[in-house]
């Protein structure tokens, strides 16, 4: 049990020389103190939950509120007691959350997402062609990993891709743990203003896109969304829809460059390979925040109403009690889909099927088209996003031939 004087602070660093591994603290806590008190930059102490079974149970517990969203615990200066904004698919609970999620979930079914696969394939092939046409090294992040999910989410939401510079800049601020309160408010205000103008146009003149269909679906149900609700929902989908997948594409590429013997498996069994990469990398790096609305037990710990908990997804996905040789990237692992990289329970990532398709197509086509892909810089010079909610690489210079 962690003594008061020994309460560790979040976030904590990754092991030296092991950029894909979660902090070493998590390994110790899983063994000795799986529900441990930690001190958060957001101004609160919280229970850090590190074992797979406990994390899964926590995220499935409807008495746990998601009011703090995914990040307020690692953003200094935020207000953990601020009421969730209307329309937030991430922060709302109960029927308010179900109302918003019902409007969105029909857009991300397996069948619906499969109809987008051919579009994703064309994007991937076009971007590989563009990279191969260049002389010298290219940055895989800028030329491949970022534009593909950005184009997909823009197409889906009906956001002009020509405006990507605006929302990507603001998105970078919003997922940073180093932003000041003023920087976060300014980025949020600019992006909300942009989306408000765009969505007002869709109310007047509906198009064939997700936002227009959601507007129509809500009105048909006799419960139309307000413009503030629509803006928050659209902002959440836009930011989450490209940040997580872009970082997964680039980080997965680096992992495969480190494990060249596994590339044939990725090409032969892409579905299982992607699930294992999702488990192994777990890019939502600072966990998911929950608030206890009543007294509960988490593992062997008594948690009181009003206390905060952090579900450490990356720790749960490296739990040896659930995954044999959990720190090893193993594409032949049994039941790789048991990972919780997309969360679990009622707030599980609504866009996970689309992310899977993008990752399958991006990685298999990249290594099939460029089998001799390699880093264009020394391995130790690669820089990582240690100060963002979604882990990844800042740049990934690559070459071939």
């Amino acid at each position: 049990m962690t003594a008061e004087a020994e309460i560790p602070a979040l976030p904590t660093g990754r092991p030296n020389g092991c950029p894909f591994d979660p902090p070493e603290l998590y390994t110790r806590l899983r063994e000795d103190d799986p529900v441990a008190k930690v001190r958060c930059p957001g101004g609160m102490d919280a229970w850090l939950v590190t074992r797979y079974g406990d994390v899964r149970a926590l995220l499935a517990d409807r008495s746990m509120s998601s009011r703090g969203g995914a990040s307020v615990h690692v953003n200094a200066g935020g207000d953990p007691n601020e009421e969730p904004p209307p329309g937030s698919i991430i922060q709302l609970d109960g029927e308010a959350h179900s109302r918003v999620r019902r409007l969105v979930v029909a857009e991300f079914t397996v069948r619906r997402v499969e109809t987008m696969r051919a579009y994703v394939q064309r994007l991937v092939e076009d971007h590989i062609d563009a990279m191969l046409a260049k002389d010298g090294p290219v940055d895989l992040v800028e030329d491949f990993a970022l534009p593909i999910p950005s184009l997909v989410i823009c197409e889906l939401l009906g956001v002009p891709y020509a405006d990507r510079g605006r929302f990507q800049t603001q998105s970078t601020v919003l997922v940073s743990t180093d932003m000041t309160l003023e920087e976060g408010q300014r980025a949020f205000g600019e992006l909300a203003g942009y989306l408000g103008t765009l969505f007002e146009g869709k109310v007047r003149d509906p198009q064939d896109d997700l936002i227009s269909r959601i507007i129509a679906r809500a009105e048909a149900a006799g419960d139309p969304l307000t413009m503030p609700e629509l803006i928050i929902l659209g902002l959440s989908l836009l930011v989450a829809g490209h940040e997580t997948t872009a970082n997964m594409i680039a980080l997965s590429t680096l992992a495969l460059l480190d494990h060249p013997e596994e590339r044939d498996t990725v090409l032969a069994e892409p579905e299982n390979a992607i699930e294992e990469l999702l488990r192994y990398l777990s890019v939502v790096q600072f966990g998911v925040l929950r608030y206890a609305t009543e007294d509960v037990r988490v593992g062997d710990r008594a948690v009181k109403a009003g206390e905060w908990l952090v579900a450490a997804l990356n720790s749960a996905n490296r739990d040896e009690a659930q995954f044999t040789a959990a720190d090893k990237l193993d594409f032949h692992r049994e039941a790789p889909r048991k990972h919780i990289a997309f969360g679990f329970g009622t707030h599980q990532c609504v866009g996970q099927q689309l992310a899977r398709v993008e990752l399958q197509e991006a990685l298999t086509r990249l290594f099939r088209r460029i089998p001799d892909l390699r880093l264009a810089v020394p391995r130790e010079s690669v820089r990582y996003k240690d100060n963002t909610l979604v882990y990844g690489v800042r740049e990934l210079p690559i070459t071939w031939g």
Side-chain angles (χ1 to χ4, degrees):
M1 181 174 178
T2 305
E4 178 68 23
E6 299 172 349
I7 294 178
L10 287 185
T12 182
R14 293 172 181 259
N16 289 333
C18 301
F20 302 130
D21 291 345
E24 292 175 308
L25 171 67
Y26 293 1
T27 302
R28 179 176 65 78
L29 290 179
R30 282 198 305 271
E31 297 172 356
D32 301 333
D33 198 4
V35 184
K37 187 64 68 71
V38 291
R39 194 142 287 160
C40 302
M44 80 284 274
D45 287 352
W47 296 108
L48 180 68
V49 185
T50 51
R51 287 182 180 170
Y52 177 91
D54 294 340
V55 168
R56 189 174 163 113
L58 167 63
L59 296 178
D61 189 340
R62 292 178 180 266
S63 73
M64 294 291 174
S65 170
S66 63
R67 57 182 291 178
S71 62
V72 71
H73 60 299
V74 289
N75 284 328
D79 182 3
N81 296 310
E82 186 176 10
E83 286 299 312
S88 175
I89 196 171
I90 296 174
Q91 292 177 263
L92 292 173
D93 298 310
E95 178 52 34
H97 169 256
S98 297
R99 168 180 171 257
V100 176
R101 191 175 178 95
R102 281 194 298 268
L103 295 172
V104 177
V105 71
E107 301 288 335
F108 293 99
T109 62
V110 173
R111 177 178 295 181
R112 184 122 193 180
V113 167
E114 279 300 319
T115 66
M116 298 186 66
R117 187 180 288 272
Y119 171 68
V120 175
Q121 290 171 347
R122 289 196 301 272
L123 288 180
V124 171
E125 292 292 340
D126 288 347
H127 282 78
I128 294 174
D129 288 343
M131 287 195 298
L132 290 173
K134 293 184 177 181
D135 293 327
V138 300
D139 177 11
L140 188 88
V141 173
E142 187 69 24
D143 291 336
F144 187 76
L146 183 58
I148 290 170
S150 298
L151 278 160
V152 172
I153 199 64
C154 284
E155 174 73 13
L156 191 62
L157 298 182
V159 174
Y161 184 62
D163 295 341
R164 66 192 181 279
R166 297 178 64 179
F167 75 73
Q168 286 174 352
T169 298
Q170 292 147 355
S171 174
T172 298
V173 175
L174 292 174
V175 301
S176 171
T177 59
D178 293 339
M179 68 174 176
T180 65
L181 182 60
E182 294 74 20
E183 288 171 334
Q185 289 174 336
R186 183 166 57 251
F188 175 85
E190 290 173 357
L191 188 50
Y194 165 74
L195 293 177
T197 300
L198 183 67
F199 294 167
E200 284 170 359
K202 296 182 185 299
V203 172
R204 295 190 301 269
D205 182 21
Q207 304 295 315
D208 183 19
D209 58 57
L210 179 148
I211 295 298
S212 296
R213 290 191 292 271
I214 284 177
I215 293 169
R217 198 173 291 133
E219 289 179 347
D223 188 15
L225 292 173
T226 65
M227 186 53 63
E229 288 177 319
L230 198 59
I231 290 170
I232 294 297
L233 177 58
L235 187 151
S236 300
L237 294 173
L238 182 63
V239 174
H242 80 276
E243 281 286 348
T244 50
T245 309
N247 282 292
M248 266 300 300
I249 291 172
L251 200 61
S252 296
T253 300
L254 181 59
L256 290 169
L257 291 176
D258 281 356
H259 297 80
E261 72 283 358
E262 297 285 9
R263 293 185 209 171
D264 287 345
T265 305
V266 175
L267 298 178
E269 303 175 40
E271 292 186 8
N272 280 352
I274 294 308
E275 299 306 318
E276 174 65 356
L277 284 164
L278 286 163
R279 180 202 71 84
Y280 181 70
L281 297 174
S282 297
V283 294
V284 179
Q285 65 173 331
F286 299 128
V288 177
L289 189 65
R290 291 293 183 263
Y291 176 84
T293 62
E294 57 186 61
D295 293 351
V296 295
R297 292 199 72 82
V298 179
D300 294 329
R301 179 78 64 185
V303 175
K304 297 179 180 179
E307 292 190 307
W308 295 93
L309 304 97
V310 177
L313 303 181
N314 52 0
S315 175
N317 281 334
R318 295 297 188 92
D319 189 344
E320 292 278 350
Q322 180 63 39
F323 303 103
T324 303
D327 286 334
K328 179 183 178 183
L329 182 65
D330 179 5
F331 290 142
H332 305 288
R333 185 180 302 281
E334 292 185 10
R337 274 184 179 261
K338 288 186 177 180
H339 71 77
I340 50 175
F342 291 116
F344 190 71
T346 58
H347 283 81
Q348 191 172 14
C349 174
V350 72
Q352 61 182 282
Q353 300 303 337
L354 179 58
R356 287 184 167 103
V357 166
E358 292 176 275
L359 288 165
Q360 290 166 14
E361 297 299 337
L363 293 175
T364 57
R365 290 173 184 274
L366 178 66
F367 283 101
R368 187 174 291 119
R369 292 279 307 276
I370 317 178
D372 54 351
L373 188 75
R374 65 182 188 274
L375 280 176
V377 295
R379 179 65 177 77
E380 60 273 15
S381 70
V382 176
R383 299 185 303 132
Y384 302 91
K385 296 181 178 180
D386 296 307
N387 63 337
T388 60
L389 302 179
V390 184
Y391 189 61
V393 292
R394 299 193 179 279
E395 307 93 14
L396 194 64
I398 57 165
T399 190
W400 51 86

